[in-house]
Amino acid sequence: MNTPLPATMIRSRYTPLLYLCAFVLIGMAGVALFAPWIAPHDPNLVDLTQKLHGPSSAYPLGTDQLGRCLLSRLIYGARISLGCAVLIFIASLAIGLFVGTLAGYRDGWVDQLLMRLCDGVMAFPSLILVLGLVGIFGPGLKQVIIALMLVQWVYYARMFRGMVMTLKTEAFIAAARVNGSSSWKIIRTHILPNILPPLLVIGTLEMGWAIMDISAMSFLGLGVQSPTAEWGAMIHEGKSYIRTNPELMIYPGLAIMLVIISFNLVGEQLAERFGVSKTMK
Amino acid sequence: MSLLQIDQVSHVYKRRFQPAKTVLHDVSLTLEAGRCLGLLGSSGAGKSTLGRLLLGLERPTTGTIWFNGVDRHATQRPFQGDVQVVFQDSFAAVNPKLTAADIIAEPLDNFIRLKGEARQQRLVTLIEQVGLKATDLTKYPAQFSGGQLQRIAIARAIAAEPRLIVLDEAVSSLDMVNKRLILALLADLKRLHGLTYVFITHDIKAAEQLCDSFAILEQGRLVGHYPSLAAFDAATDPAVERMRQAKLAVHPRQRTIRKTQPNKG
Ligand SMILES: Nc1ncnc2c1ncn2[C@@H]1O[C@H](COP(=O)(O)OP(=O)(O)OP(=O)(O)O)[C@@H](O)[C@H]1O
Ligand SMILES: [Mg+2]
C-alpha cells in the first residue's frame, strides 16, 4: 500500500463522468431517503388485475407478476441496498479500526493473535465465507448483514494495522511519548487523524462491494425475503419471466450496475487524489 | 551530585526474525547540570540510541541511567517532562494535522495543566522566545519552513521547563544561516532557563560552538571523553583525529521533503 500519510494532494482532472457518477449517487441517496414521498405506489400492494403491465401514466415502469408498481419497488429497493451498505460499512469499519489500531500499536502477542485470525478469514474468498455463514445463521437480511460485517472488518483491520505500524515509527509519536501523552491520547490525536482521510476512498469502493454482496445474496434467495422490495430479490423473482417480461430483471439489474459503477468511479478518482491504494480485496 | 550519570549502559536491539544487535557497550558518562555535552560519532555509532535511552523511549539492556539521583527506568512511567527532545527532521517531529499552538501545548497540557488565559499567555511567551510571532500559533506545519518548524519543536521542548534536552542532530538538516541562528537560540535558551543539553551530532564545528564537554562513540563504545573545549581541541588521540577527518565524508541522513496540507482550508 502507498503510504497514506501525508495525503499527497495530486490534482487530478475531474472528468464530467465523475460529476455524473457523484450526481447519480447523491440522487440515489435522496431517492432512498425520501422513498415514501417519491414512490407513486405502495411497493408491496398486490393487484392481480394489473399484473405484468407495460409502462403507463399510473405505473411509469409497468408492473410485475403480482401487479406491483415496478418503479416503487425500485425506489424502496434503493433504501435497503444503500442503507445496508452504509450499515455494513460503518460497523465493519468500527470493528476493523479498533482491532487494527490495537494490533498495530501494541505489537507482540496481541498483534500476532489478531493477525492470525485475519489470515484465517482472508484465506477464503469473501463471498464463499459469507455464503457459509449465512448457511449457518439461516437466510434473511439481518443474517446477511451480520455475515458481511463479520467478514469485512478483517480487511479494515489489516489496513489500519499497516498504517498504524508505519505511523508508530514517526518521530512525532516518539515526541508525543516524551511529552507525556498516554497511549490513548496518542492514538486519538496523532494516529486517527492521520489514517482517516484514506477512509473516504476505501469507504466509497467498499459501499459498491457491499451493495453487490447484498444483492447477490438476495438473488440467491438467502438475503431479503419476499415480499420486501430489494434489487437482488427483484431479479430473483423476475427470473421466471425472463422470456416474456425481461424488464422485471433488467430494471433492478441496471440500478445495481449504475450504483456500483458510480461508487467505483468516484472511489477511484478519490484514490488518485489522496494517493491511496485501492486494492483492499 | 551530577544531573546525569550513565553507568555502564549496554543496549541490545532484539527484533523478530533478526539476530540481536548490541549497539552500546558499557558506556559510562556523567554530566553536570547547566553543561552541554557534545555526543559525537559516525553514523550507526549508537548516538541516537543513547539519546533514546536518556529520553526513556528505550530501556538499557544492562546498566543504569541515573537522572537527578533516581534510576530513570525504575518507574513504569519514565516520562515526567524533565527530559525533552529536539529531533533532526522537524517535519517528521510534528503531527501535520496539528497547529503550532497544539504542538507546543502538548507537554504543557500533560505536565503543567494551565488553563484558559494563562495557557494562551504561556504559548505566546514560548513562541516569542524562539523568535516567532504569536500569530504563527494558528498555522499548520506545512505553512512553516524547516528552520521555523525547528523553532516550534524547540518551543515544545522547553514548554514544560525540562532539566535536560536531548538535541539529536537538531541543526544537521539546516542551511548554514539557519544553523547559526538556531545554535545561537539554543545557547540563549540554555542560559535563560538553566538547561542542560546533550547535543548529538556528526558536525564537530557545530558541537564546538555549543558544547563545553565532548564524548566520542565508535561502534557503540565510548572512545573519548573530554571535559572542556580546550581539552577537546588539544586532543590528538586517534578517535578525535578520525572524527575530524570524517567530518567531510559523513553526512546526516537527508531530511525527507514532505508536502502536506493543513486539514482546514
Ligand atoms: N529500533 C531499532 N531496531 C534495531 N536496530 C536498530 C534500531 N535503531 C537503531 N538500530 C541500529 O543500531 C545502530 C545504532 O543506531 P543509532 O541510530 O543509535 O546510530 P546513530 O549514531 O544515531 O547514527 P546516525 O548518525 O546515522 O543517526 C545502527 O546500526 C542501527 O541500525
Ligand atoms: Mg542518529
Side-chain angles (χ1 to χ4, degrees):
Chain A
M1 147 175 337
N2 296 344
T3 167
L5 170 106
T8 39
M9 303 304 292
I10 305 163
R11 295 249 165 258
S12 51
R13 284 164 287 116
Y14 292 115
T15 56
L17 189 63
L18 175 72
Y19 289 115
L20 188 67
C21 292
F23 179 75
V24 166
L25 291 180
I26 293 168
M28 282 286 185
V31 165
L33 272 176
F34 301 109
W37 291 277
I38 298 173
H41 296 272
D42 177 346
N44 297 325
L45 185 72
V46 175
D47 183 355
L48 290 175
T49 61
Q50 299 289 333
K51 69 177 185 182
L52 297 173
H53 274 222
S56 64
S57 57
Y59 298 99
L61 291 180
T63 58
D64 69 1
Q65 71 283 2
L66 296 175
R68 296 174 294 194
C69 171
L70 268 180
L71 180 65
S72 303
R73 288 183 72 72
L74 278 180
I75 288 172
Y76 273 86
R79 232 176 189 204
I80 296 201
S81 293
L82 289 178
C84 294
V86 170
L87 188 70
I88 291 167
F89 169 64
I90 291 176
S92 47
L93 178 85
I95 307 174
L97 187 63
F98 180 77
V99 173
T101 308
L102 191 73
Y105 196 75
R106 292 233 172 281
D107 38 24
W109 68 269
V110 178
D111 181 38
Q112 286 296 303
L113 188 76
L114 291 171
M115 284 309 113
R116 291 300 80 74
L117 183 64
C118 292
D119 285 344
V121 174
M122 287 169 107
F124 301 93
S126 63
L127 201 62
I128 303 280
L129 209 56
V130 172
L131 264 176
L133 285 173
V134 173
I136 296 169
F137 299 154
L141 183 61
K142 215 187 314 165
Q143 288 87 326
V144 167
I145 291 176
I146 293 174
L148 280 171
M149 270 163 17
L150 284 179
V151 173
Q152 283 308 316
W153 71 267
V154 172
Y155 295 89
Y156 290 104
R158 255 295 149 89
M159 181 185 75
F160 285 121
R161 171 182 175 264
M163 290 183 185
V164 171
M165 301 244 297
T166 320
L167 265 177
K168 212 173 52 168
T169 60
E170 294 274 336
F172 70 82
I173 302 290
R177 291 177 62 199
V178 168
N179 284 312
S181 293
S182 61
S183 298
W184 166 236
K185 186 170 176 185
I186 290 175
I187 289 174
R188 192 163 37 90
T189 60
H190 296 296
I191 292 188
L192 289 184
N194 283 298
I195 57 180
L196 287 181
L199 262 186
L200 198 61
V201 179
I202 312 281
T204 321
L205 293 166
E206 202 48 33
M207 299 276 212
W209 281 108
I211 289 179
M212 180 118 108
D213 289 349
I214 296 168
S215 302
M217 288 295 144
S218 299
F219 174 68
L220 294 173
L222 296 171
V224 173
Q225 303 296 307
S226 69
T228 314
E230 195 274 346
W231 297 340
M234 287 170 73
I235 300 182
H236 174 74
E237 287 171 20
K239 73 180 187 298
S240 322
Y241 302 86
I242 187 164
R243 288 185 194 285
T244 50
N245 297 78
E247 70 274 11
L248 294 190
M249 295 179 77
I250 289 173
Y251 292 140
L254 278 177
I256 294 173
M257 198 175 83
L258 199 62
V259 170
I260 292 177
I261 287 180
S262 301
F263 270 123
N264 274 297
L265 284 177
V266 171
E268 238 162 73
Q269 290 277 328
L270 291 175
E272 198 181 310
R273 179 166 171 172
F274 285 104
V276 180
S277 156
K278 38 183 199 290
T279 48
M280 195 162 120
K281 294 219 176 191
Chain B
M1 185 181 59
S2 313
L3 179 68
L4 180 68
Q5 212 171 332
I6 301 170
D7 188 12
Q8 298 215 299
V9 164
S10 298
H11 191 70
V12 182
Y13 279 118
K14 292 195 194 76
R15 282 199 297 191
R16 234 182 292 151
F17 313 126
Q18 269 172 36
K21 188 171 181 185
T22 308
V23 289
L24 288 176
H25 301 266
D26 277 338
V27 174
S28 295
L29 271 172
T30 52
L31 184 60
E32 304 300 324
R35 308 280 304 261
C36 174
L37 171 72
L39 192 56
L40 297 155
S42 56
S43 197
K47 307 182 296 296
S48 296
T49 302
L50 189 55
R52 291 173 64 80
L53 289 167
L54 298 180
L55 290 165
L57 291 168
E58 309 267 357
R59 293 182 152 264
T61 310
T62 60
T64 315
I65 292 173
W66 300 97
F67 182 73
N68 212 11
V70 287
D71 180 350
R72 186 92 181 78
H73 297 85
T75 54
Q76 272 304 302
R77 296 208 46 149
F79 308 112
Q80 301 298 333
D82 43 14
V83 184
Q84 276 291 347
V85 63
V86 178
F87 289 113
Q88 172 176 1
D89 178 354
S90 52
F91 284 97
V94 298
N95 182 347
K97 304 282 180 195
L98 297 183
T99 60
D102 294 333
I103 292 166
I104 300 173
E106 189 169 30
L108 272 185
D109 293 342
N110 288 331
F111 298 123
I112 299 187
R113 303 201 161 90
L114 290 175
K115 290 252 148 40
E117 191 54 35
R119 179 177 179 274
Q120 184 60 26
Q121 199 49 54
R122 180 98 178 103
L123 288 175
V124 172
T125 312
L126 282 166
I127 202 157
E128 283 174 351
Q129 267 184 19
V130 296
L132 297 174
K133 293 193 293 289
T135 49
D136 291 327
L137 281 171
T138 53
K139 290 190 190 166
Y140 287 89
Q143 294 167 276
F144 291 106
S145 70
Q148 288 173 320
L149 208 52
Q150 196 60 302
R151 289 169 186 270
I152 303 273
I154 292 171
R156 172 176 63 185
I158 61 172
E161 291 163 359
R163 307 279 313 270
L164 176 72
I165 301 184
V166 175
L167 303 162
D168 192 346
E169 313 271 12
V171 298
S172 303
S173 298
L174 302 173
D175 57 80
M176 289 306 284
V177 177
N178 265 310
K179 188 180 287 193
R180 222 173 23 242
L181 290 172
I182 298 274
L183 280 171
L185 173 70
L186 288 169
D188 286 346
L189 291 172
K190 180 165 171 289
R191 227 175 305 117
L192 189 65
H193 296 277
L195 293 164
T196 309
Y197 289 157
V198 172
F199 184 73
I200 296 173
T201 188
H202 296 90
D203 184 344
I204 287 202
K205 271 243 183 68
E208 284 175 342
Q209 270 183 52
L210 191 65
C211 301
D212 46 29
S213 65
F214 301 84
I216 299 182
L217 275 182
E218 258 179 24
Q219 291 171 5
R221 289 174 212 279
L222 190 68
V223 292
H225 187 195
Y226 314 90
S228 69
L229 183 58
F232 183 62
D233 281 342
T236 52
D237 48 304
V240 185
E241 285 304 327
R242 273 198 295 274
M243 231 14 252
R244 287 190 185 125
Q245 266 141 38
K247 79 177 179 216
L248 288 177
V250 203
H251 295 283
R253 256 176 256 127
Q254 272 299 299
R255 194 183 83 202
T256 44
I257 292 171
R258 290 150 182 274
K259 275 252 181 294
T260 52
Q261 65 131 130
N263 60 0
K264 72 168 193 195

